[in-house]
Amino acid sequence: MKILTGLISSLTLLSLNAMGLSQVQAQTQGFESQNVPVSFSGTGCPPGPVQGVLNGDTLSITSSAFEALASSSKGLPKSCNLRIGLNIPSGFNVQPISIKYAGFANVPAGGSADLNVKILFQGREVSTTDNPNQTFRAGFSDIWSKHVGLVLNPINVCRNPVSSVFGINSTLTARATNVPRGQEAQIRIAPIDTTIGDVLFQIKFDVNPC
């Protein structure tokens, strides 16, 4: 019986090694830690590198802060569009379930600020269970946070691997129509300090073997 058990264990290990999931390896508890490609464009993207880190059941986008400022009524929207490539190996059902992000807004009297975020999958906007956007009225000066549920069917990769693209389109608008001289309206998506660095967005997945 011990010999048979050892033989089965060895065959199981060989089978797992033979899968060769060299791009994004999924396990029963989630994905194996590695970097994923991220491209970005827009009028207000953060300076410096933007990187995607996939670990366990979480995809983190690391970057510095993204903000919009206005000291007059001519404040222009600042946008940043992210595209994250994800190659999912066969043998799993993967479902994005939520996205988290946070920041700060300071809106003096006579000003306002808007946060607008759209989540896309394969070029199509994803429905949400919570409002991903927010308007900040005059007098608001505090941190804010969003934990938005995503309504998206599981990605079925039971038989064949799938290459997919997630998108996060963010637009920040600060207005200072009648703000006192020397003051400005400000809105920011601020990174969260984590063990992997400054994280701007976190997407959570439900990963299950077929």
Side-chain angles (χ1 to χ4, degrees), residues 103-207:
F104 173 80
N106 179 49
V107 186
S112 64
D114 290 329
L115 163 74
N116 288 281
V117 175
K118 290 183 179 180
I119 313 302
L120 301 101
F121 177 68
Q122 302 295 67
R124 297 184 177 182
E125 186 173 353
V126 176
S127 298
T128 62
T129 58
D130 311 280
N131 187 359
N133 310 316
Q134 189 166 342
T135 294
F136 301 91
R137 304 296 183 187
F140 184 94
S141 182
D142 206 345
I143 58 175
W144 54 265
S145 63
K146 290 286 185 179
H147 190 178
V148 179
L150 303 178
V151 182
L152 190 63
N153 291 331
I155 306 168
N156 188 327
V157 284
C158 290
R159 295 186 177 181
N160 299 305
V162 171
S163 295
S164 58
V165 177
F166 284 91
I168 304 174
N169 290 359
S170 307
T171 302
L172 303 180
T173 306
R175 304 179 191 85
T177 307
N178 294 304
V179 168
R181 179 173 296 184
Q183 298 187 29
E184 61 184 8
Q186 175 189 23
I187 180 170
R188 173 188 303 174
I189 298 178
I192 305 166
D193 186 19
T194 70
T195 56
I196 63 171
D198 291 337
V199 172
L200 211 58
F201 295 97
Q202 282 188 327
I203 299 177
K204 209 80 165 174
F205 294 89
D206 187 15
V207 182

Side-chain angles (χ1 to χ4, degrees), residues 72-115:
S72 70
S73 59
K74 296 181 180 179
L76 297 176
K78 298 292 185 179
S79 65
C80 189
N81 302 324
L82 304 175
R83 295 295 179 267
I84 306 111
L86 186 62
N87 296 321
I88 306 171
S90 59
F92 297 87
N93 278 314
V94 179
Q95 184 176 18
I97 56 176
S98 66
I99 182 170
K100 291 175 65 177
Y101 46 99
F104 173 80
N106 179 49
V107 186
S112 64
D114 290 329
L115 163 74

